[in-house]
Amino acid sequence: MSDKHLTLYELNSLVRAAIEQVMPHEYWVEAELSEAKEWGGHCYMDLIQKDEHTNTPVARASAKCWKSTWMLLRPHFERVTGQRLHAGMKVLLKVFAQFHENYGFSWIVTDIDPTYTMGDMARKRQEIIRQLKEEGVFDLQKELTLPLFAQRIAVISSANAAGYGDFCNQLADNEYGYAFHTQLFPAVMQGEGVEQSVISALNRIYELIEDAQAAAPVTDDLSSPTPPFDCVVIIRGGGATSDLSGFDTLALAENVANFPLPIITGIGHERDESVLDMVSHTRVKTPTAAAAFLIGHLRRVDERISDAQDSIVGYVQHRMQLEKIRLDRLSSQIPILFSVVKTRQEARLERLFNQLATHIRQRLERQRVMLDTRQTVLRTAVTRIMMQERHRLEMLCQRTEAVNPERLLKRGYSITLHKGRAVHRAEELKAGDEIETRLEHGTIKSRIYE
């Protein structure tokens, strides 16, 4: 062991001197912001560089822009770009190296090129958003309706994540006592495997939906079978902003946008928003905010039901009160109304009776006149007919008298009868027949011999 040794401060002083000697100049450096925040008027940045093929971080560094410089750079940068510094933005910074014996190494920013605004991460995000809108799926989730009683929750999260535990605990311990049923579909929530892992979880949920539909009995009801879940929640607690890159992929966004159930996301911080957040049905900040959203939704439904119940009860009570008043008023008016109606009906009956009697008298008078008229007509017609028939009878008597056989006998004629019938031809008789001859005075009986 050497007798010569250095204190930590002396060693750091040597490093500081070496850096100031070797790197005395300022440098323009291209980097992507994984995080940028202001504190006490200063701007603190986390810089990152990723591999172009694997998207894996290959370099990280911290940078600071002191208040005196930041107050000048910030207005100019925001005026030119129209944006504030945020995660995912690729920037071109002018920096110099600084090593402090107490605080270590950092890059000190002295200038920012505002023309170099959007980094690869932000440009890719904008390209994904543009493509989703062209496909017409960007707002599909917003068109879905969260069921009124959203209590069956499919959760996509890391099984060991504290956010998942907070989510379940808040649902279970809600102050209203609502019952929620959750089922976890484990997935990787940071790193390179986020996209495929979350898509696989969505596929497993969709398979359960299809199985439930296939197992539903066939009925005449045209409504679709009830799915096993009311919605899907994708949650992730905390983490660095750069770890959200796995949620900014086209494939994942398309799967979420086209999913048949409403999807609620709680995967970032308040200031971070991924493409997945944009296409989801509802975006909240954290897993506990997702639980609060579901509880609040059910509470609003509960309040609507309570309000409707109160409205119905109030309406029924009000209506019953009005009907009671109406019945009381009607019951008090019944005797008066009955008396009025009785008087009116009696007058009406009297009027009808008089009208009926008058009508009967008029009808009888008309019938009597008609009978007298018909009696006169009938008497005249009978007299005429009797005269006609008497004349016709006299004529018949005259004709009968003209052909009376007695007159013929008086004139010297005779009538030969055979069996009481007049004989007109000799062929009608044969030998042995007995005939009778009538004369004016007497009758002669003869027998035919030949």
Side-chain angles (χ1 to χ4, degrees):
M1 176 182 293
S2 174
D3 294 335
K4 181 65 174 178
H5 59 270
L6 299 173
T7 64
L8 178 59
Y9 180 82
E10 292 173 335
L11 179 61
N12 285 350
S13 296
L14 291 176
V15 172
R16 177 178 180 177
I19 290 176
E20 290 177 352
Q21 182 177 0
V22 175
M23 304 180 64
H25 307 293
E26 295 181 334
Y27 306 92
W28 285 100
V29 59
E30 175 186 311
E32 185 178 309
L33 294 176
S34 64
E35 190 167 1
K37 58 184 178 181
E38 293 186 37
W39 182 263
H42 311 295
C43 181
Y44 298 89
M45 310 173 197
D46 288 337
L47 308 181
I48 191 173
Q49 180 180 344
K50 298 178 181 178
D51 185 273
E52 295 181 358
H53 303 289
T54 63
N55 208 35
T56 302
V58 295
R60 294 179 183 270
S62 297
K64 302 180 183 69
C65 185
W66 301 124
K67 181 177 180 179
S68 57
T69 304
W70 179 240
M71 291 298 101
L72 298 175
L73 296 181
R74 174 183 171 182
H76 176 65
F77 180 84
E78 293 179 358
R79 184 174 60 255
V80 174
T81 63
Q83 301 182 58
R84 300 182 63 179
L85 285 180
H86 59 80
M89 178 180 288
K90 199 166 185 180
V91 293
L92 186 62
L93 307 174
K94 189 175 186 180
V95 298
F96 68 86
Q98 183 182 72
F99 188 87
H100 192 277
E101 291 85 346
N102 192 26
Y103 301 108
F105 180 83
S106 63
W107 293 103
I108 305 301
V109 178
T110 60
D111 198 2
I112 304 176
D113 185 354
T115 61
Y116 197 90
T117 54
M118 300 298 291
D120 291 338
M121 184 184 297
R123 281 196 296 271
K124 289 178 182 179
R125 176 182 297 182
Q126 293 301 321
E127 177 62 24
I128 292 172
I129 293 172
R130 183 193 62 79
Q131 188 168 343
L132 291 172
K133 289 182 178 180
E134 288 181 355
E135 295 173 1
V137 301
F138 188 80
D139 294 318
L140 285 182
Q141 275 281 314
K142 303 296 189 297
E143 298 174 3
L144 298 178
T145 301
L146 187 65
L148 292 178
F149 301 96
Q151 296 172 278
R152 301 168 301 164
I153 317 299
V155 183
I156 298 177
S157 180
S158 174
N160 300 322
Y164 171 65
D166 294 339
F167 174 81
C168 294
N169 291 335
Q170 185 158 343
L171 288 183
D173 300 333
N174 70 87
E175 60 180 312
Y176 307 108
Y178 299 141
F180 290 91
H181 306 281
T182 61
Q183 181 174 344
L184 176 65
F185 293 84
V188 175
M189 301 306 290
Q190 58 182 354
E192 299 301 321
V194 169
E195 178 186 70
Q196 290 303 321
S197 183
V198 174
I199 291 176
S200 297
L202 289 172
N203 290 337
R204 292 196 299 273
I205 296 172
Y206 187 74
E207 289 172 0
L208 292 178
I209 296 174
E210 286 189 325
D211 293 343
Q213 292 175 342
V218 179
T219 63
D220 295 334
D221 188 2
L222 298 179
S223 61
S224 302
T226 303
F229 303 106
D230 298 314
C231 64
V232 178
V233 174
I234 302 177
I235 52 178
R236 163 189 179 270
T241 302
S242 58
D243 291 333
L244 291 174
S245 59
F247 299 99
D248 286 334
T249 67
L250 178 62
L252 180 55
E254 288 176 335
N255 273 268
V256 169
N258 288 284
F259 204 74
L261 295 181
I263 294 180
I264 302 168
T265 58
I267 59 175
H269 300 288
E270 180 178 1
R271 62 182 180 277
D272 306 320
E273 184 178 30
S274 64
V275 175
L276 182 62
D277 291 319
M278 298 178 186
V279 300
S280 66
H281 179 276
T282 302
R283 182 253 183 179
V284 294
K285 303 173 185 176
T286 61
T288 53
F293 172 79
L294 291 171
I295 295 170
H297 173 75
L298 204 56
R299 178 59 180 170
R300 288 188 293 273
V301 173
D302 193 3
E303 290 175 349
R304 286 177 58 187
I305 295 174
S306 298
D307 292 343
Q309 180 180 351
D310 294 340
S311 298
I312 293 172
V313 171
Y315 174 78
V316 171
Q317 290 176 343
H318 178 67
R319 187 60 183 268
M320 289 179 65
Q321 185 177 3
L322 291 178
E323 293 301 322
K324 184 179 183 302
I325 295 173
R326 179 172 171 270
L327 288 175
D328 292 340
R329 185 172 63 253
L330 289 176
S331 62
S332 64
Q333 294 176 352
I334 286 176
I336 301 174
L337 292 175
F338 179 76
S339 177
V340 173
V341 171
K342 179 182 177 183
T343 303
R344 289 178 180 175
Q345 293 301 320
E346 288 176 347
R348 180 173 175 270
L349 288 175
E350 183 67 22
R351 186 171 63 255
L352 291 175
F353 177 78
N354 294 332
Q355 291 177 354
L356 182 60
T358 302
H359 178 74
I360 291 174
R361 285 195 299 269
Q362 293 175 350
R363 185 66 180 271
L364 288 174
E365 184 64 27
R366 286 196 297 271
Q367 293 300 320
R368 186 179 296 109
V369 173
M370 186 179 66
L371 285 175
D372 292 342
T373 302
R374 290 183 178 179
Q375 183 178 4
T376 302
V377 173
L378 182 60
R379 185 182 296 112
T380 303
V382 169
T383 301
R384 185 177 66 253
I385 292 171
M386 288 180 66
M387 291 178 64
Q388 291 174 353
E389 291 301 319
R390 185 180 296 111
H391 177 71
R392 190 169 69 85
L393 185 58
E394 290 175 354
M395 296 298 295
L396 289 175
C397 289
Q398 291 176 4
R399 291 178 184 177
T400 302
E401 186 62 26
V403 295
N404 188 353
E406 295 293 334
R407 297 184 65 181
L408 293 175
L409 292 177
K410 290 179 180 181
R411 292 168 60 185
Y413 291 99
S414 62
I415 299 174
T416 300
L417 302 173
H418 175 64
K419 296 181 179 180
R421 299 178 61 184
V423 177
H424 298 280
R425 295 187 300 275
E427 290 82 3
E428 296 180 4
L429 302 175
K430 62 182 181 291
D433 289 340
E434 186 178 299
I435 61 176
E436 180 181 349
T437 304
R438 287 185 182 181
L439 302 175
E440 179 182 3
H441 301 288
T443 301
I444 300 173
K445 292 186 179 180
S446 307
R447 184 178 297 281
I448 303 300
Y449 290 98
E450 63 177 279

